[in-house]
Amino acid sequence: MTTTVRGAAAILLPIEACWQKMRDLSRAKDYVPGLSDCVVTTSEKEGIGASRIVTHKQFGAMNETVVVWDEGHGITLRLHKGDKPARPFAEALFRYEFRAARAGSESAAGAATGCEIHTALTYRLPLGPVGRLLDRLFLRRLFQQNVVDAAVCLAEYYRTERPVPETELPRLRRNALP
């Protein structure tokens, strides 16, 4: 059984500008909370097959390989360590997707003021019923918070073009979209 947790935040930039920033896979440490390093490891710097190694405080080093590249809209990354799934997962995918701003987010002149970043983690845990129980008891909430944090920090990074310190998370979480 797979689980998907989601997050979203508004970005006051057009989708095209956000997409140009997202293309640079080496910048994840500037907007993903808990990452201390990010190195692109393939000759492909973008597109399907491009891969990076990220080092996370909670989960250690893991590979993230692009499995879906929706030009101009988003990417999906497979989380793994070598040929095996990244711990603690039996399988996991992370999605970044830009969408048009929701109705009601226009400027006074009626023009759209930006877009939204939608993040999603789709995963399956090992251990069958035990994994599902751990997911319901606490892991899902932890993953949910991480996915929301990635969305609000990415929005802040795109707004300021400065790495987002983890100390900003409590304030930025108020910017999450429902």
Side-chain angles (χ1 to χ4, degrees), residues 3-178:
T3 302
T4 300
V5 291
R6 302 174 192 283
I11 303 176
L12 296 177
L13 293 170
I15 289 175
E16 298 78 18
C18 292
W19 176 248
Q20 289 309 312
K21 294 173 185 285
M22 177 61 64
R23 296 177 83 95
D24 185 351
L25 298 176
S26 69
R27 302 310 306 243
K29 70 178 180 183
D30 293 332
Y31 59 82
V32 177
L35 286 192
S36 59
D37 199 16
C38 177
V39 178
V40 176
T41 59
T42 54
S43 58
E44 302 87 10
K45 301 300 181 201
E46 54 184 54
I48 293 175
S51 191
R52 62 189 180 194
I53 294 178
V54 297
T55 305
H56 194 278
K57 291 176 187 174
Q58 285 179 303
F59 305 113
M62 76 173 85
N63 302 81
E64 296 183 339
T65 300
V66 177
V67 294
V68 176
W69 184 273
D70 293 327
E71 184 68 32
H73 299 286
I75 62 173
T76 302
L77 302 162
R78 180 174 66 95
L79 310 182
H80 59 103
K81 185 152 184 148
D83 292 339
K84 298 181 180 181
R87 289 187 182 165
F89 306 109
E91 64 180 286
L93 298 170
F94 197 95
R95 174 85 177 151
Y96 293 94
E97 183 177 340
F98 298 106
R99 298 182 189 170
R102 297 176 193 188
S105 59
E106 292 86 22
S107 68
T113 58
C115 65
E116 297 174 359
I117 179 66
H118 288 257
T119 52
L121 173 65
T122 299
Y123 63 93
R124 185 174 52 83
L125 295 173
L127 306 176
V130 173
R132 288 190 295 276
L133 178 63
L134 291 172
D135 189 42
R136 273 186 299 230
L137 290 176
F138 71 94
L139 287 175
R140 187 176 307 172
R141 284 188 299 276
L142 171 68
F143 298 146
Q144 174 71 49
Q145 190 63 67
N146 286 339
V147 170
V148 169
D149 288 352
V152 298
C153 286
L154 183 136
E156 180 71 1
Y157 173 67
Y158 283 10
R159 184 182 73 78
T160 65
E161 297 194 14
R162 291 192 319 265
V164 179
E166 286 187 61
T167 55
E168 291 292 308
L169 279 173
R171 176 184 67 82
L172 295 175
R173 285 177 180 144
R174 294 190 296 259
N175 297 333
L177 296 173

